[in-house]
Amino acid sequence: MGRTLAEKVWEQHVVRRAEGEPDLLYIDLHLIHEVTSPQAFDGLRMAARTVRRPELTIATEDHNVPTVLGPISDPVSRTQVETLRKNAAEFGIRLHPMGDAGQGVVHIIGPQFGLTQPGMTIVCGDSHTSTHGAFGAIAFGIGTSEVEHVLATQTLPAYRPKTMAIEVKGELPVGVTAKDLILAIIAKIGTGGGQGYIVEYRGEAVRKLSMEGRMTVCNMSIEAGARAGMIAPDETTFEYLRGRPHAPEGESWDRAVEYWKTLRTDDDAEFDKVVEIDASTLTPFVTWGTNPGQGAPLGSAVPAPEQFGDPVERSAAERALEYMGLTAGTPLREIQVDTVFVGSCTNGRIEDLRAAAEILRGRKVVTRTLIVPGSMGVKKAAEEEGLHEVFKAAGAEWREAGCSMCLGMNPDTLKPGERSASTSNRNFEGRQGKGGRTHLVSPQVAAATAVTGRLTAPADL
Amino acid sequence: MDAFTTHTGRAVPLRRSNVDTDQIIPAVWLKQVSRTGFEKGLFAAWREDPSFVLNDPVYEGASILVSGPDFGTGSSREHAVWALQQYGFRVVIASRFGDIFRNNSTKMGLLPVILPEDVVERLQDAAEADPKTEITVDLAERQVRSGDLVASFEIDDYTRWRLMEGLDDIGLTLRHADAIEEYENGRQPWLPTTV
Ligand code: SF4
């Protein structure tokens, strides 16, 4: 019988397999940031261990960093960033500190440097590591104990997850984005739907997505409970990679591409589960609740808890409406927001900024609007295209790179009761600041919303 | 990691689903570089509400958290596990867990126990009816017992063995250093390095 993409990549990385034990899996690339690594480095020191392969490891400062120029004002954040600097120096790990041209959100810089390639295993102490699966890599988030394990051994013991295919039939209509697609998928399968699986996104609509769109989709796999999401590499992938600083060159490139072309699910392979979704019926999608599965088409209304048959979902919806300060039946388009955030590892890449700029060109924002490029590289590219001028002319704030309001660890936060339209990935209670209320949206909807102050699709303008 | 064989304690019923790790410990608490002191951040936002179950003195000293489905979804922060342990929890029972949280728990010796939703609710009912109700979680027998309730749970042999022995994964893996080296010699030549 044939094998799935996930099975092929997994098998390629098994260092050791023994009956009744998890596989020992080799890790090709380990990404590090300041928040989930300090205790792991401490652990190494306490056990007098070293980093096995510093040259397969790269670190960046992203979660804590301010997005306005200047030093970190919060002393606790500053200590954490300084701790990463000390650890990187001590263990010989390449670090992109604040202000460096290569600095940025960990999941943006990997692909940007060409370090993320098809068929690799990639881990990071961060759940959105699933992003890198867009290249046909197995990429997943790990905790600090596992970070220490990978530092010390360059491997991880793990059971191979089951495989799930999400078959996206048809084409996405004009004006419907990768973000709308993944939000619709999560609403369909639920926040626990992917638990225990590696998801492979397949079908015509997925093939037609750009690399950046594919990253947006894979990024949010974790919001459906799946540790990893993958898309088979193809010409779009190779084109994106070609010429990037760490991509293979010359003969090496040819050999790599030859191998990468074998990284697809065989026709006779079987998935443990198959989910189908029709792309052609989708419209802009937003969340109304406090988990990413609580979403609906922008053209609909806030649902009534009674609509949910399952008692657990019903009580979750009740709690969510209370927290979000929403009344059932209110059209989503009438929801007023205070802040718009465009950025994060979900939607902080150049195409996202172009999409937002296109809508803001020649218009004015009526809300506080933060545009935060995902990396200094993205920032530079945007400025070369003049996008920053478009944002500034519209009245939006053009910031330095970082995670920013995606999780509010730096000063970019919502105040209690404030409401945002955000291109990030989590609408959990308090995610963007204590008491803050988050609606997850695409960059296009975010930009249109900034213009009207209500949840709005570009077509409504 | 502390070894885990069997644990008997009282339970806190947490009647919420999708308890994501941002709720278990909000991001502002993740700035510490130490491994201690996270109990103060446990459910920090919810604990501001006096009616939140952890604020009810009858549950003081309870060591088993019995939650609604999808506990520990979201962020990979292991701080969520540290916060629960440092607060005094040894076991979390739910019908479904986020994968990364469950993994992190077993690395630290906090036992995640998966039981069917109706059994979880019976345990919550019992803890609400009488907060002194004791629950025994027996990893050797893979069983949860409380009064006349006896429920079996599944956990793979390897993880169970590791938890019962309190073994450190890194030490176990380093026994296979030869296999790692051999694998490294056969890696595809075009794979990138960060230098
Ligand atoms: S942008 Fe948000 S989701 Fe992505 S790594 Fe940063 S905090 Fe995590």
Side-chain angles (χ1 to χ4, degrees), chain A residues 12-16 20-22 24 26 28-29 35-36 38-39 42 49 52-58 64 74 76-77 79-80 83 94 115 117 120 125-127 141-146 148-149 152-153 155 157 159 191-192 194-197 222 225 227 246 248 252 255-256 259-260 291 312 316 319 407 409 426 428-429 431 434, chain B residues 15-18 20-23 26-36 38 44-46 48 68-71 73-79 82 95-100 102-104 107-108 117 121 156-159 161 168-174 176-177 179-184 186-195:
Chain A
Q12 178 72 30
H13 290 85
V14 176
V15 169
R16 177 179 178 273
E21 292 184 30
L24 191 62
Y26 199 79
D28 291 323
L29 179 66
V35 179
T36 55
Q39 297 86 354
D42 275 348
R49 287 171 177 148
R52 184 180 177 90
R53 300 295 300 269
E55 80 282 20
L56 302 184
T57 313
I58 186 169
N64 270 298
D74 175 354
V76 196
S77 286
T79 302
Q80 194 165 56
T83 303
R94 168 173 160 194
L115 284 168
Q117 297 174 16
M120 290 173 67
D126 191 284
S127 60
I142 56 179
T144 300
S145 293
E146 289 177 314
E148 185 179 335
H149 194 287
T153 71
T155 64
Y159 289 99
T191 53
Q195 272 167 24
Y197 291 94
I222 183 69
R227 265 180 110 174
H246 290 272
S252 235
R255 285 178 63 195
Y259 171 66
W260 293 343
N291 72 57
V312 174
R319 266 194 63 82
L407 91 166
M409 257 182 114
R426 288 190 171 137
F428 298 153
E429 290 180 24
R431 171 81 178 179
K434 205 165 103 193
Chain B
R15 291 207 186 253
R16 294 189 188 189
S17 60
N18 271 298
D20 59 76
T21 52
D22 272 81
Q23 305 317 314
V28 289
W29 291 89
L30 312 187
K31 297 181 183 182
Q32 304 295 337
V33 294
S34 68
R35 246 185 212 269
T36 52
F38 292 105
W46 291 351
E48 285 181 11
D70 296 316
F71 186 87
T73 53
S75 153
S76 65
R77 57 188 74 167
E78 195 162 307
H79 312 67
W82 304 336
S95 64
R96 289 200 305 250
F97 286 92
D99 286 338
I100 305 178
R102 193 155 55 91
N103 235 16
N104 290 343
K107 304 289 176 195
M108 290 301 300
E117 188 55 29
E121 282 174 21
D156 68 272
D157 291 341
Y158 183 80
T159 306
W161 166 72
D168 154 32
D169 259 346
I170 300 179
L172 292 174
T173 296
L174 287 174
H176 307 300
I180 299 173
E181 208 173 309
E182 198 186 314
Y183 179 91
E184 283 176 330
R187 288 177 79 230
Q188 290 147 329
W190 61 79
L191 284 165
T193 67
T194 57
V195 289

